[in-house]
Amino acid sequence: MYRKNMYQRTGAYEARIKVYIRNTWDWLDIKLRKSDMNYIDRRCSGRRKCAPVLQKRGKEWHLDFPMKEYIELCDTDVADRIICAVDLGINAAATISVMRSDGTILGRHFLKLPKEQDCLTHSINRIKKAQQHGNRKMPRLWAKVNGINHEISVKTAEFIMDVATLYNADAIVFEYLEKKGKKRGSRKQRLHLWKSQEVQRVVTDKAHRLGMHIARICAWNTSRLAYDGSGRVLRGKHAGFSSYSVCQFQNGKVYNCDLSASYNIGARYFIREILKSLPENERLLMEAKVPPCSKRSTCTWSTLISLNAELMSFVS
């Protein structure tokens, strides 16, 4: 709603908008909620007010007031950065490892939402049962599923930001996840309903307001490769486990699979940033001494440890 042409503020809690009504464009007098306008004046005084947007939610029309704010992101050196490496999963909503550039793990945090996951599974099963009886359009059932998914996304994003604020992190690192195409099967359908993109979007908005960076790394083999560099892991029935939450390394060690993936996520971020900061000749030398660094999809936490050891020997 462009100002003066389509939107005019006539009072503290009154305004006029130009809409297409009765087969013509005409001005319509509206009343603004007092609590909303007081909130905007009190909390958004330092932000730039953009043109309002008229949107329809359900059967009601709402006038949204977007605000623009300029935030300067932190500019910490790579060696001094603290990051939150986040592995978004289906069984566990989020697994976070707080890491330094030398591979030191400052904290490990897990978020599981069993109540919400049970409600989501129950709602999906109701849809399956209705589809078996020939029902095609089930707006109420799908609305409930979308509502549960949104609740899981909001709680996951709040948990990630609480951990990042607790450690005063400089960056939050995610996997680059891309889900396209039609999904068939119960497990693939559950993966399709996984709101990983929404979680990353909400966290991005909140992190930028606090001056934190958001980074994404290649998701290939983060869960498949062990963080200690022992190779591919065994999961599920291949390792004799009834759950995919734990895995077995090639050396026989049993470890949390999501936690191992979060180590690899944080390590790949630091490997990329460290190699970018080096001159071309030094970067090629480091890639020759630590071959996994040359291919990002094979980097693990042990690769970061080896890279730091080579950098220390090179400096000394």
Side-chain angles (χ1 to χ4, degrees), residues 178-214:
E178 184 178 4
K179 305 188 298 295
K180 293 183 178 180
K182 191 173 182 180
K183 308 297 179 183
R184 298 183 181 274
S186 58
R187 188 171 182 83
K188 291 184 178 180
Q189 187 181 30
R190 188 180 177 187
L191 180 64
H192 185 64
L193 293 172
W194 179 32
K195 296 293 184 178
S196 59
Q197 303 295 336
E198 183 178 358
V199 173
Q200 295 188 17
R201 178 181 56 81
V202 175
V203 172
T204 300
D205 295 339
K206 292 186 176 183
H208 284 171
R209 292 194 61 188
L210 297 178
M212 299 180 185
H213 290 270
I214 297 294

Side-chain angles (χ1 to χ4, degrees), residues 92-116:
T95 304
I96 305 177
S97 296
V98 186
M99 186 183 301
R100 290 186 181 272
S101 61
D102 57 353
T104 305
I105 305 298
L106 302 179
R108 305 170 183 85
H109 298 269
F110 303 87
L111 175 65
K112 293 185 178 181
L113 301 172
K115 180 179 178 181
E116 289 77 4

